Amino acid sequence: MYIQWTVKNRGIDRTLQVYKQCLQRIPNCLLIQFKYLEFLEKHKSIQDTEEAYLKLLNEMPDNTLIHIQYLYFLRRCKNAAAARNFFIKTITANTNKFWQLYVAEGDIEENINNDTQCAQRIFQNGFKYFKEKPEFVICYVQFLMKKKDPNSKNILKDIFENILPSMDPKCKETQQIWKLYIKFQQRLCDLNQLHNIEEKRNMEQHCNRIEKLLNSIDRFTFLDLYPVSKQYRDTLIHAKQTSQRKVSQKLNAIQTNILNRHNNNKNRNKQTNKRRKRRTSRIKLNAFNDDNNSNNKDDIKENKDKKPFIDMTTFIDDTNLSNISNKNQDSESITMPNLSQLSAFKPGIRFLQKINYDDEEEEDDDDDEEEEDDDMKQLKESLPPKLKELLNKLPPPQHTQLLKLDKNTTMIDIESFLTMMKLKLHDDFL
């Protein structure tokens, strides 16, 4: 680490500059913050260190670890009264927070100040707020098991008999409390009670055969001495982990299946709720006349009063459409544009006429044309009557884009054919 090299080779002032530069770039790294505070405590004054601690507490007021390190700093550099005052001030402002701070102050009172009565009062006060937190209960139980007075034993019995059954049996900390309960019962030298507690633990945690066997092995183990071979114990642990993994995989598979079914039901509901819009097509009459070129205002009013469009769907048999829709139930519905905003429908049509250059080609193509005519006749006979009416009103294929283009095609006179088409459509509409 560069800071350690700077301390050895560049001196205190240069190291202080390096710490400040580092904290400017990584201000949220607590490791560097605590290293910097210890450096100030060792090479600078206590007042500078305390000011740095208070500044850090103002920047991160909810960080428990900073409170604990400042508590140890006060006990180390000042006295026990300063640490107690800071602890009381902190827990008064934040009653239901900082359970680790209770444990830290209890450890200071027990091991540094040698005041077990004060430590017990601190743990009892914290137990009022954190009795449902297994991590704090473990620390409190371990503290009580070090004591030999009857009052501590009574408190332990109350915790094991009343608090422990209400905790989550799947939590690792709860399992550790059960182990402490069995260890506490072993000290009382009551074998029948010990077996009863072990059966209760297996029942509460829903232990299977492998877990019960591991619990028995753990009860008879002392330090590195096992009642069975280490390989057999490791095999049981591996089997337990494998069974837990399989159970978790099954639960995940069930959850994914439920989510997939829920999503599929949503998608089906969306598809069924879609409205099937009827497809319409309209042909505008007199589409080739330019309204802007007409100078007569009366003619324009007459054209507006008339219906300028013909609905093409009136020529189609509805029964055939229903048969087609039944065949395509699984396909997606087609959403058509809003035709109410359509000003005019003017399809581009190219009028083409086939020109034959050689008589030989006509003789060769006669057979093909006859076959195509027969097919077209059969197709027309199979069409519904309304479609037949529509085909009769449309121009023949050789005058539309339906003609197959090849090299022998040229454009014909458009104006004469347009005049014919306008008259024909107008007469049919009337």
Side-chain angles (χ1 to χ4, degrees):
M1 193 175 180
Y2 177 67
I3 295 176
Q4 294 177 352
W5 179 86
T6 308
V7 172
K8 295 179 181 179
N9 299 288
R10 301 296 298 274
I12 296 173
D13 295 335
R14 175 58 185 166
T15 306
L16 191 62
Q17 293 178 2
V18 172
Y19 268 120
K20 290 180 179 180
Q21 291 175 2
C22 187
L23 290 174
Q24 286 178 357
R25 289 168 175 79
I26 317 174
N28 295 325
C29 182
L30 291 180
L31 178 62
I32 300 174
Q33 292 279 4
F34 294 148
K35 286 277 188 181
Y36 171 64
L37 292 169
E38 285 184 351
F39 179 81
L40 291 177
E41 182 181 347
K42 186 176 180 180
H43 298 284
K44 296 293 182 178
S45 63
I46 296 174
Q47 185 177 0
D48 294 337
T49 308
E50 187 174 5
E51 290 176 358
Y53 266 113
L54 294 175
K55 181 180 178 182
L56 186 61
L57 284 171
N58 291 328
E59 293 175 356
M60 302 179 185
D62 295 330
N63 194 298
T64 311
L65 188 57
I66 300 173
H67 287 80
I68 293 171
Q69 294 300 321
Y70 182 55
L71 187 70
Y72 279 107
F73 164 76
L74 292 174
R75 180 62 185 87
R76 185 172 57 245
C77 296
K78 291 189 176 182
N79 50 37
R84 288 173 183 171
N85 291 332
F86 171 74
F87 171 73
I88 294 170
K89 180 180 178 181
T90 304
I91 64 172
T92 303
N94 303 281
T95 307
N96 298 326
K97 293 172 66 177
F98 308 134
W99 67 267
Q100 297 93 339
L101 192 63
Y102 283 89
V103 179
E105 179 62 22
D107 181 69
I108 290 172
E109 295 294 338
E110 180 188 9
N111 299 312
I112 299 176
N113 299 336
N114 296 321
D115 191 350
T116 55
Q117 296 298 326
C118 182
Q120 187 168 359
R121 288 195 297 270
I122 290 170
F123 275 110
Q124 286 177 353
N125 190 20
F127 188 70
K128 296 177 183 178
Y129 305 106
F130 306 109
K131 64 172 64 177
E132 296 179 357
K133 199 166 190 65
E135 295 88 349
F136 180 81
V137 175
I138 289 173
C139 298
Y140 188 29
V141 168
Q142 289 175 348
F143 168 77
L144 291 174
M145 289 182 70
K146 296 176 185 177
K147 302 184 70 176
K148 299 178 181 179
D149 58 299
N151 187 24
S152 299
K153 291 181 180 180
N154 293 329
I155 295 172
L156 283 171
K157 287 181 179 180
D158 182 66
I159 292 172
F160 290 142
E161 294 176 359
N162 299 323
I163 305 300
L164 182 57
S166 63
M167 292 184 178
D168 186 10
K170 296 180 180 180
C171 184
K172 292 182 179 180
E173 288 77 11
T174 306
Q175 297 174 4
Q176 188 175 354
I177 297 172
W178 275 106
K179 291 181 180 179
L180 293 173
Y181 187 16
I182 292 174
K183 186 178 179 180
F184 168 75
Q185 195 64 39
Q186 280 180 330
R187 294 180 180 179
L188 299 179
C189 301
D190 190 349
L191 188 60
N192 293 326
Q193 189 69 19
L194 179 62
H195 288 170
N196 293 332
I197 293 168
E198 192 171 15
E199 290 178 0
K200 186 178 179 182
R201 188 261 304 271
N202 294 333
M203 185 178 63
E204 290 287 338
Q205 294 185 347
H206 305 286
C207 296
N208 55 21
R209 182 176 60 84
I210 297 173
E211 291 173 345
K212 289 179 181 179
L213 189 56
L214 283 171
N215 290 333
S216 298
I217 293 171
D218 185 65
R219 184 165 66 86
F220 290 106
T221 300
F222 186 80
L223 297 179
D224 59 343
L225 303 176
Y226 301 102
V228 295
S229 63
K230 191 174 183 301
Q231 291 80 6
Y232 180 66
R233 177 177 171 272
D234 294 339
T235 303
L236 292 175
I237 293 172
H238 178 71
K240 177 184 175 182
Q241 293 173 353
T242 304
S243 63
Q244 290 176 351
R245 194 182 306 113
K246 288 181 180 179
V247 170
S248 63
Q249 288 176 356
K250 288 181 180 179
L251 291 174
N252 292 330
I254 292 170
Q255 291 177 357
T256 53
N257 288 332
I258 292 171
L259 290 174
N260 290 331
R261 290 177 183 175
H262 183 66
N263 293 329
N264 290 332
N265 291 330
K266 279 187 177 180
N267 294 330
R268 287 176 184 173
N269 293 329
K270 287 181 181 179
Q271 289 179 0
T272 54
N273 290 332
K274 283 184 179 179
R275 295 180 179 178
R276 294 181 176 272
K277 295 185 179 181
R278 188 176 180 182
R279 291 174 288 175
T280 59
S281 59
R282 300 191 294 175
I283 296 177
K284 186 176 181 180
L285 296 176
N286 300 325
F288 301 101
N289 290 335
D290 191 0
D291 294 337
N292 295 326
N293 295 330
S294 61
N295 295 322
N296 192 357
K297 295 182 179 179
D298 296 332
D299 294 338
I300 296 171
K301 291 181 180 179
E302 291 178 359
N303 292 329
K304 289 182 179 179
D305 295 334
K306 293 180 181 180
K307 293 182 179 179
F309 290 98
I310 297 176
D311 190 357
M312 297 284 288
T313 56
T314 57
F315 298 102
I316 301 174
D317 193 0
D318 292 334
T319 59
N320 293 326
L321 282 176
S322 62
N323 294 328
I324 294 170
S325 63
N326 291 327
K327 291 180 181 179
N328 298 328
Q329 283 180 354
D330 296 333
S331 61
E332 295 182 356
S333 61
I334 299 173
T335 304
M336 298 297 294
N338 188 4
L339 296 177
S340 62
Q341 299 179 357
L342 190 65
S343 60
F345 181 72
K346 299 180 180 181
I349 301 175
R350 295 178 183 175
F351 298 94
L352 307 172
Q353 184 179 15
K354 186 172 181 180
I355 298 175
N356 297 321
Y357 290 99
D358 298 328
D359 295 335
E360 295 178 357
E361 293 180 359
E362 292 179 359
E363 293 176 359
D364 295 334
D365 295 339
D366 285 341
D367 297 333
D368 296 335
E369 290 178 357
E370 289 178 359
E371 293 178 358
E372 290 178 358
D373 292 338
D374 294 336
D375 295 335
M376 288 298 294
K377 287 179 181 179
Q378 293 178 359
L379 181 62
K380 287 181 180 179
E381 290 176 358
S382 63
L383 291 174
K386 291 188 178 181
L387 284 177
K388 289 180 181 178
E389 293 181 15
L390 176 63
L391 289 175
N392 292 328
K393 295 186 179 186
L394 291 175
Q398 62 266 24
H399 294 156
T400 65
Q401 263 186 335
L402 300 176
L403 179 65
K404 184 178 180 181
L405 297 179
D406 55 9
K407 295 181 180 178
N408 301 323
T409 55
T410 58
M411 301 296 293
I412 66 171
D413 186 13
I414 299 175
E415 293 181 358
S416 60
F417 185 78
L418 292 180
T419 304
M420 182 270 291
M421 285 295 299
K422 288 190 288 184
L423 292 173
K424 187 174 180 181
L425 288 173
H426 185 66
D427 294 336
D428 293 338
F429 181 71
L430 294 176

